Amino acid sequence: MGLSLYIRNNLKNKFFQIIILILIVSLVRNPAQGIESARNGLNLWFNILLPTLLPFFILSELFIASGLVSYFGRLLGPIMKPVFGISGEGAFPLIMSFVSGYPVGAKLSSRLRSLKLISRAEGDRLVTLASTSGPLYILGAVSIGMLSINYLNGLFLIPHYLGAITVGLIFSLLIRDKSTNGKIKQPPSLVLPEAKNKSLPIIIADSVKDGINSILLIGGFVIIYNVIIDILLNSPVFKAVIVLLSKTLKQDPRLIEGIFAGFIELTTGCSKIAALDIELIYRILAINFILGWGGLSIISQAISFISQTDINIKLYLISKFLHAIIASLYTYILYILHYKDIIIPSSIGGKIRQGVFSFKYWLENIYFSSKMAMLICIFFIILSLLTYNISLAKIKK
C-alpha cells in the first residue's frame, strides 16, 4: 500500500515537472507572447477583479473576525440545517457567493472551517453549494459585454443558481451527518461571541491584511493561467487535437476550442464562444456549462483556500463538474418551456466591449462593490433576526 502510494505520488510529481518544463521552453521560444499574456492577465486582475472582490474580502473578514458570523449564524440555523444540512454560519458564504461570485464562497467556507465554526461534513457540503459566479459578471461581462444581449437574463441566472442549489441538495442528502436535523428545541443564544479578545484596530488591520493577501493570490493565478492558455492555443499539438475532436464529434472546431479554453480559464472561454457565428442557444448552452464549471483558474484559486483545511477537494471538483452539467440541462429545459419563441435566431457573434479599462471605471467598480458588500451584510443581519423571531414564535406555541 505504501509502495503504490509512493509510486503514484512520484508519477504525479514527474508529470508536473514535465508540464513546467514545457511551459518554460515555450516561454523561452516566444517570450513576447508570454509577456503579452501576463500583461493581459494583470490588466484583468487590476481593472476587474481587484476593485470587484477586495471590498467583499475585507468586509467578510471583518464579519468573521468580529464574531458576527457566528452570532447571526445561530439565528439562521432553523433554515440552513433542515434544507442543506449546514449550520446557520453557512448562510454567510452562501449569500456572499451568490452575489459576489467566484471564489468568495470557497474562501469563506474554508475560513469558517479553519476557525471550526462549522464541522468537516458541513464544510464538504458548503463548498459544493457556495461556489457560483456573480450576477455582475454573468450579466455585465458575459450577457451584455460579450453577447450584446439584455433580454435573456433569466436564461443565464436561473440555470446557474438553480444548478448550484440542486448540487447542494444532492450532497446534503449524500453526506448528511447525525448532528444535522431540522428540530428546534430551544431558541439560539443572543450572546455575541467574543472576537478572540482583539481590539477593534487589530481586527480591522488583520481583516485588511487577509483580504489583500487573498486578492494577491488570485492575481497570481489569473496571470499564470492566462499565459498557459495562450501557449496552448498557439500550440500545433493542441490545434491538431481540436481538429481531431471536431471531426469525431462533428462540431465546429472553434466551439470545441472555446469550451476547452473555458475549461481552463472562464473569461477567455466565454469570450471565444460568444464571438462564434453559430446559433445563439448553442452559445448560451456552452457558456452556461463553463460558468458552472468555473475553469481551472478559478478552481485553483478555490483549492488554494480549501487545501488549508480538511475539506474534501475531490468532492468539490465533482460538484463543479456536476454543476456544469445540471446548469446546461436547466438551460435547455428553460429554453424549451419559455425562451424558444423569445430568442431571436442569430448567427452573428457578440463583440466584447472595448475601453472598459479606465480609472473612472475602476472607481465605479470599487464603489459599487463596496456598496453591494455592505448591503449584503445588512441583508444577512435582517434575515437572521427575522429567522430568530419566527423560530422563537414556533417554540412558544
Side-chain angles (χ1 to χ4, degrees), residues 295-314:
L296 291 179
S297 176
I298 286 172
I299 288 175
S300 297
Q301 297 166 27
I303 289 177
S304 69
F305 300 120
I306 295 173
S307 61
Q308 299 174 25
T309 69
D310 56 0
I311 293 175
N312 193 324
I313 294 175
K314 291 181 180 178

Side-chain angles (χ1 to χ4, degrees), residues 232-246:
L232 287 174
L233 291 178
N234 290 281
S235 167
V237 176
F238 174 79
K239 292 178 180 178
V241 171
I242 292 296
V243 172
L244 180 62
L245 285 174
S246 67

Side-chain angles (χ1 to χ4, degrees), residues 88-121:
E89 285 85 351
F92 185 63
L94 177 60
I95 294 170
M96 293 295 278
S97 176
F98 272 41
V99 177
S100 59
Y102 296 123
V104 174
K107 179 189 183 302
L108 296 181
S109 302
S110 303
R111 184 76 172 132
L112 293 182
R113 177 56 192 147
S114 66
L115 295 173
K116 301 192 183 303
L117 295 176
I118 57 176
S119 68
R120 178 179 180 178

Side-chain angles (χ1 to χ4, degrees), residues 7 26 70 94 96 117 125 139 141 143 173 175 191 207 211 225-226 240 244 254 263 272 283 301 325 336 349 368 373:
I7 294 173
S26 300
S70 180
L94 177 60
M96 293 295 278
L117 295 176
R125 288 189 289 267
L139 300 182
S143 179
L173 296 174
I175 52 177
V191 179
S207 299
Y225 275 97
N226 262 275
L244 180 62
R254 293 170 299 170
F263 187 83
K272 285 183 174 296
R283 282 182 275 160
Q301 297 166 27
I325 294 174
I336 295 296
F368 184 80

